[in-house]
Amino acid sequence: MTDSPRAVENVIILGSGCAGLTAAIYAARANLEPLVVMGVEAGGQLSLTTEVENYPGFPEGILGPELIDRMRRQAERFGSRFAAGDATAVDLSASPFVVEIEGEPHRARALIVCSGASARMMDVPGERRLVGHGVSTCATCDGAFFRDQEVVVVGGGDSAMEEALFLTRFARRVHVVHRRDELRASKIMQERAFANEKIEFLWNTHVTEVLGGSQVEGVRLWNHETGERWEMKVDGVFVAIGHIPNTAIFENQLEMDAQGYLVPQNPGRSLTNVEGVFIGGDVHDHTYRQAITAAGAGCKAAIDAERYLERVGEAPGRVAGASTK
């Protein structure tokens, strides 16, 4: 029995953030008719961002959800298709690969993984409600909005110190809230943070609630050593307690590092240890985590996937005028 065109997809793309949608644009223009699995958090972390000011081409800035919507419409224009829900399991032991979308199996000749990483959150009242309204997980993305204001950074590792130091370029005061009595950050990062007079440290302290109506207005704090509880008026809360790559379904199938990020087989490329599976965006990037770097990685993954399908004789004829440039 011969497979119908939809019985086996040319390529399935997991994720609908900047990386996944860019991969979809490139794959669709290569006439691959990709199926994009949108994921639980459709649009990725950018869909939770109010305003994006550092994405090229938008001098006045653009709302995160609007940027994602434009990317999706662009991908749809060239023939990308979208499936709601999440990939719940994969079998990469043989080609075509099997991808279960909410339990329903789909087969694909190539797979592009752009499932991203989720910021670890404190899971305290008010936090998730105010994401994008004063609560952020990215100082590089949002720091400029807090010029001459007071902010809190939660965490004690290198990432938290990087966030705090970056925020001192804009904020009037940065309060680092850490649950221990010493930092986990490297010595050099500690020295830089301690030397910055704009940074104040609150030791053995937890944020127990983020306060505010439509915007962050303050935090409720608790010192577990003294038992003291108090409120602090601040304009922003930056959560820097790590990220969790969305890679659980690939355990024992794709190579990962100690933190669970997928590992490319060649520096600067999207190839994985399984031929025909490609990666892009925050699922393998724990250094930059920017919309523009994710988009670039999605582009590379789509081009690598197209070239793979051409090499194995599975690529369809190219659409007239289509180009990967």
Side-chain angles (χ1 to χ4, degrees):
M1 178 179 174
T2 303
D3 289 326
S4 69
R6 291 293 187 267
V8 179
E9 303 284 351
N10 292 312
V11 58
I12 289 178
I13 300 171
L14 303 185
S16 56
C18 277
L21 292 178
T22 302
I25 292 167
Y26 274 77
R29 293 190 74 243
N31 201 29
L32 295 178
E33 298 181 298
L35 177 64
V36 181
V37 183
M38 296 177 66
V40 173
E41 294 181 355
Q45 295 186 56
L46 205 61
S47 64
L48 302 175
T49 303
T50 49
E51 191 165 6
V52 180
E53 291 191 324
N54 56 4
Y55 199 89
F58 298 94
E60 306 302 321
I62 185 172
L63 296 176
E66 183 183 356
L67 180 57
I68 287 295
D69 180 64
R70 289 190 182 198
M71 287 184 172
R72 172 170 174 164
R73 286 189 282 118
Q74 189 174 2
E76 286 178 320
R77 173 190 167 200
F78 295 116
S80 296
R81 294 164 297 122
F82 290 80
D86 202 11
T88 51
V90 294
D91 183 353
L92 308 180
S93 60
S95 182
F97 308 121
V98 178
V99 178
E100 291 187 12
I101 305 174
E102 299 296 338
E104 181 181 347
H106 295 255
R107 295 194 292 163
R109 298 180 176 93
L111 178 65
I112 298 177
V113 182
C114 299
S115 50
S118 302
R120 292 182 188 274
M121 304 299 283
M122 299 179 291
D123 291 326
V124 300
E127 178 189 33
R128 293 189 182 273
R129 178 174 60 84
L130 291 167
V131 168
H133 299 277
V135 172
S136 173
T137 59
C138 178
T140 308
C141 309
D142 301 325
F145 298 120
F146 296 88
R147 198 176 300 276
D148 297 322
Q149 298 182 11
E150 292 205 26
V151 299
V152 158
V153 172
V154 181
D158 277 352
S159 294
M161 295 309 101
E162 289 171 4
E163 299 273 281
L165 287 162
F166 182 84
L167 287 166
T168 60
R169 303 181 188 182
F170 309 100
R172 180 174 68 252
R173 192 74 172 160
V174 178
H175 306 272
V176 173
V177 176
H178 187 42
R179 61 183 179 175
R180 297 186 176 91
D181 59 2
E182 61 181 6
L183 299 174
R184 293 178 291 106
S186 60
K187 292 299 182 184
I188 184 74
M189 293 303 298
Q190 292 190 41
E191 290 170 2
R192 290 174 182 171
F194 290 145
N196 194 305
E197 60 185 20
K198 279 191 173 184
I199 299 177
E200 175 192 21
F201 291 86
L202 299 174
W203 305 107
N204 301 311
T205 300
H206 305 252
V207 173
T208 59
E209 185 175 355
V210 180
L211 307 172
S214 60
Q215 287 286 134
V216 168
E217 297 173 7
V219 290
R220 186 164 286 133
L221 301 169
W222 169 55
N223 184 302
H224 66 255
E225 287 288 315
T226 65
E228 180 186 5
R229 296 179 183 270
W230 73 102
E231 293 182 8
M232 175 187 293
K233 179 177 173 56
V234 294
D235 305 288
V237 177
F238 288 80
V239 184
I241 54 178
H243 286 72
I244 306 170
N246 301 319
T247 59
I249 62 173
F250 301 106
E251 190 172 353
N252 299 321
Q253 299 192 72
L254 292 179
E255 184 180 350
M256 303 178 185
D257 65 16
Q259 288 75 45
Y261 288 89
L262 300 181
V263 177
Q265 295 303 290
N266 303 98
R269 297 290 301 279
S270 70
L271 285 64
T272 69
N273 59 301
V274 175
E275 188 176 39
V277 180
F278 308 89
I279 53 179
D282 288 7
V283 78
H284 71 84
D285 174 15
H286 42 81
T287 302
Y288 300 105
R289 294 197 295 262
Q290 299 298 301
I292 189 65
T293 53
C299 164
K300 290 193 290 186
I303 292 174
D304 285 340
E306 180 194 2
R307 290 173 177 171
Y308 162 75
L309 291 172
E310 287 179 344
R311 180 169 58 81
V312 299
E314 297 285 1
R318 186 182 289 279
V319 171
S323 171
T324 54
K325 295 183 179 178

